[in-house]
Every structure is written in C-alpha cells, then in structure tokens.
C-alpha cells in the first residue's frame, strides 16, 4: 500500500514537477495477477486496480493492520468499474459477471471479494475506489444502460462529452462514494472546462483509452495558481477539494471519476470562469 499525505494549497505552490507527480499522480494502476493500492489522507480514499490474468485476485487480511481493521471492507464501501475484458467478482459467495464499462458497488461488511477474468487472453481490468462507510447498502451491479447519462459541451469548444454516472444517488444508495465514466466525443480533447472546484468533496481522475503516443495535460491547483501534470494511459490524479481538475489531451480519451466527501450532490460546484484562471 502506498500512502499519500494531504498537501496544503500553499505547500503545493512550491512543488516542482517531480514533487507534484510524487504527491498527486498515481503512475501504475494495473499489474498482472495482483492488486495495487494507494491510500490518500485526503478524505481517506483508497485508489487502485486489479488485473487477474492467470489467477484470481483478492484483497485479504494483509491490509487489515494498515487500516486498523480485520478485513478490507469491515468499515469501507467499494466501487469497481471494469475497463478490460469480461470478468467475475465473487462477493461472499455471490457471483457477478462484470463486462467492459460495467460497474459493481460492494457494501460495507463484505468479507471476501474475489476478482477473476473470463479469458486470460483478454483479462479484466478492475479499477476501484473505496471510501469509509458508516452503514451497509446492498451490493449491486450497474450496467451502462442503468447508468445516469448527461451530455455536456460542444464541438466548437472541443469539450463535448457524455458523463455516465454509475454510482450516484439517482442510481443506488451509498454512504459517500460516487463514481462514473466520462467519454469524450470524437475530435474533442477537453474535459471539465470551464472548470470548477468543490470544497465539500475531493476527486480522483483515472485516464484510459489512450494509445502510447497520447497524453493528457491535467490541470490542477487553485484557480489563480494553476499547474499541470502530464498523464499517460491508465494513470490517475488525486485532486484535493481546493484544486481545479480539468484536462486536455493530444487526442480524445476516456476517464473515470470518483468522489468522496461531505455530500453527494453532483452539481454542488464552485464554478470558475476561464477569464478568471491564472
């Protein structure tokens, strides 16, 4: 488990490129036949990936000591979105078939969660976020057809995109975790511009669906003190509540967003006009 401490906005102003990448960028999400895990002190979110190829993978009691619990989801909820081939997730004996761009919400208290691929030649890639939870809500699969879509932007500003909200109150109840998948339309490169902050929630962006020559310039920082991180395929960025989070790619791409914090009101944002950015 990697651990990332909270970074004050005043501290972030003094970080160079290497420092920004060390504190906010997660460069490796997937490794064959194992899981990755990054624990952020920002709202206690956990971010990672699970890629079962030849073997099934589970997150067991080995993380208990680090989390101060007996098992991973003793006091946590979990959201998973598959970006790879078809996979299976077994939650305390109940099997869920999770295809590409489908999600699973796992409620607090699930003791055994096992991940596997249907075909080792096309392994599943399970990207996950986990948040502290105070009560248990039912475990449930969410397909793309069951997600709540919202299309924003236009071609003229190169930010036409469809936000597919998988784990949100309109679809199913959770304690605080929300997750979704945003697809940019062909020929569009900008996400979340005009940008915003949300003081009551932090967010993580996971970028994928990119080829080797594609990069995203992820914008971060306070609105009047913007910085950027260069992000490549299957990398994630941790965004504190004080930071904007937007990006422009050299080509179109797809990203998964996950939020936890004080509320789950999707449009509770503090908008920032482009003219006010510095």
């Amino acid at each position: 488990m990697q651990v990332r401490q909270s970074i004050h906005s005043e501290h972030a102003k003094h970080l160079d490129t290497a420092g920004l990448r060390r504190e906010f960028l997660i460069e490796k999400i997937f490794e064959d036949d194992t899981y990755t895990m990054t624990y952020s002190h920002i709202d206690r979110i956990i971010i990672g990936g699970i890629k079962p190829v030849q073997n099934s993978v589970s997150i067991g009691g080995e993380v208990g000591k680090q989390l101060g619990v007996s098992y991973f989801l003793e006091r946590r909820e979990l959201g998973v979105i598959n970006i790879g081939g078809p996979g299976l997730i077994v939650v305390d004996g109940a099997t869920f078939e999770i295809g590409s761009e489908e999600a699973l919400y796992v409620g607090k208290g699930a003791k055994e969660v096992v991940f596997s691929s249907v075909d080792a030649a096309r392994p599943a890639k399970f990207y996950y976020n986990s948040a502290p939870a105070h009560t248990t809500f039912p475990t449930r699969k969410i397909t793309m057809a069951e997600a709540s879509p919202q299309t924003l932007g236009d071609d003229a500003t190169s930010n036409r995109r469809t936000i597919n909200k998988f784990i949100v109150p309109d679809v199913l109840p959770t304690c605080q975790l929300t997750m979704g998948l945003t697809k940019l339309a062909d020929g569009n490169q900008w996400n979340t511009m005009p940008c915003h902050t949300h003081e009551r929630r932090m967010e993580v962006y996971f970028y994928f669906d990119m080829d080797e020559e594609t990069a995203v310039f992820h914008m971060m920082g306070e609105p009047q003190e913007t910085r950027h991180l260069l992000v490549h395929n299957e990398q994630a960025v941790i965004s504190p509540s004080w930071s904007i989070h937007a990006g422009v790619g050299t080509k179109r791409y797809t990203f998964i967003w996950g939020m936890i914090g004080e509320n789950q009101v999707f449009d509770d944002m503090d908008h920032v006009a482009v003219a006010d950015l510095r």
Side-chain angles (χ1 to χ4, degrees), residues 115-132:
F115 302 82
S116 61
S117 296
V118 172
D119 181 0
R122 292 193 305 132
K125 292 182 176 181
F126 298 110
Y127 172 73
Y128 71 89
N129 289 172
S130 175

Side-chain angles (χ1 to χ4, degrees), residues 6-273:
S6 298
I7 300 296
H8 194 282
S9 56
E10 290 297 318
H11 180 188
K13 294 178 183 180
H14 301 285
L15 295 174
D16 61 9
T17 297
L20 290 172
R21 293 176 70 85
R22 181 178 63 249
E23 300 294 345
F24 299 106
L25 180 66
I26 305 173
E27 295 192 72
K28 188 73 171 179
I29 293 291
F30 294 112
E31 296 183 12
D32 289 0
D33 289 324
T34 189
Y35 64 84
T36 66
M37 180 176 289
T38 298
Y39 181 105
S40 172
H41 285 202
I42 303 173
D43 285 317
R44 307 293 176 180
I45 192 171
I46 292 178
I47 310 108
I50 303 167
K51 184 183 177 184
V53 183
Q54 302 296 334
N55 303 304
S56 61
V57 177
S58 62
I59 302 175
E62 68 275 5
V63 301
K65 183 177 181 180
Q66 293 171 291
L67 297 176
V69 292
S70 301
Y71 55 94
F72 180 40
L73 298 181
E74 183 176 346
R75 299 180 62 84
R76 285 184 164 271
E77 59 187 352
L78 178 71
V80 181
I81 298 178
N82 182 14
I83 66 164
L88 302 174
I89 304 178
V90 181
V91 182
D92 288 342
T95 301
F96 299 87
E97 298 181 8
I98 308 297
S100 182
E101 298 186 351
E102 294 185 338
L104 183 71
Y105 170 78
V106 182
K108 168 185 170 290
K111 290 186 176 181
E112 185 178 46
V113 185
V114 182
F115 302 82
S116 61
S117 296
V118 172
D119 181 0
R122 292 193 305 132
K125 292 182 176 181
F126 298 110
Y127 172 73
Y128 71 89
N129 289 172
S130 175
H134 62 277
T135 193
T136 300
F137 289 109
T139 294
R140 179 182 156 187
K141 173 183 173 179
I142 310 101
T143 66
M144 182 64 81
E146 294 169 320
S148 175
Q150 181 181 16
T151 299
L152 299 173
D154 57 55
D155 293 333
T157 49
S158 193
N159 67 344
R160 184 166 181 81
R161 61 203 187 275
T162 299
I163 304 169
N164 300 285
K165 306 171 193 173
F166 282 96
I167 300 174
V168 295
D170 290 346
V171 176
L172 79 170
T174 69
C175 291
Q176 61 172 326
L177 178 65
T178 59
M179 289 181 74
L181 183 152
T182 298
K183 282 180 166 289
L184 273 66
D186 287 341
N188 288 258
Q189 285 85 35
W190 275 102
N191 72 66
T192 326
M193 184 60 73
C195 63
H196 60 263
T197 61
H198 25 69
E199 187 63 32
R200 292 148 293 278
R201 295 190 307 278
M202 65 82 65
E203 190 160 8
V204 176
Y205 274 14
F206 168 64
Y207 292 96
F208 69 102
D209 193 20
M210 299 160 58
D211 60 41
E212 188 174 336
E213 297 302 317
T214 302
V216 173
F217 291 81
H218 177 92
M219 308 301 172
M220 61 164 296
E222 293 180 290
Q224 281 71 52
E225 192 78 31
T226 59
R227 311 289 293 277
H228 77 267
L229 290 167
L230 195 69
V231 183
H232 293 282
N233 190 43
E234 297 181 357
Q235 295 182 339
V237 180
I238 300 169
S239 180
S241 59
W242 49 261
S243 176
I244 65 168
H245 36 283
V248 60
T250 55
K251 290 169 62 177
R252 68 161 297 281
Y253 52 90
T254 307
F255 70 99
I256 293 171
W257 46 268
M259 295 183 285
I260 69 173
E262 287 287 292
N263 67 27
Q264 295 179 309
V265 182
F266 186 81
D267 58 0
D268 182 9
M269 306 170 187
D270 301 311
H271 295 278
V272 182

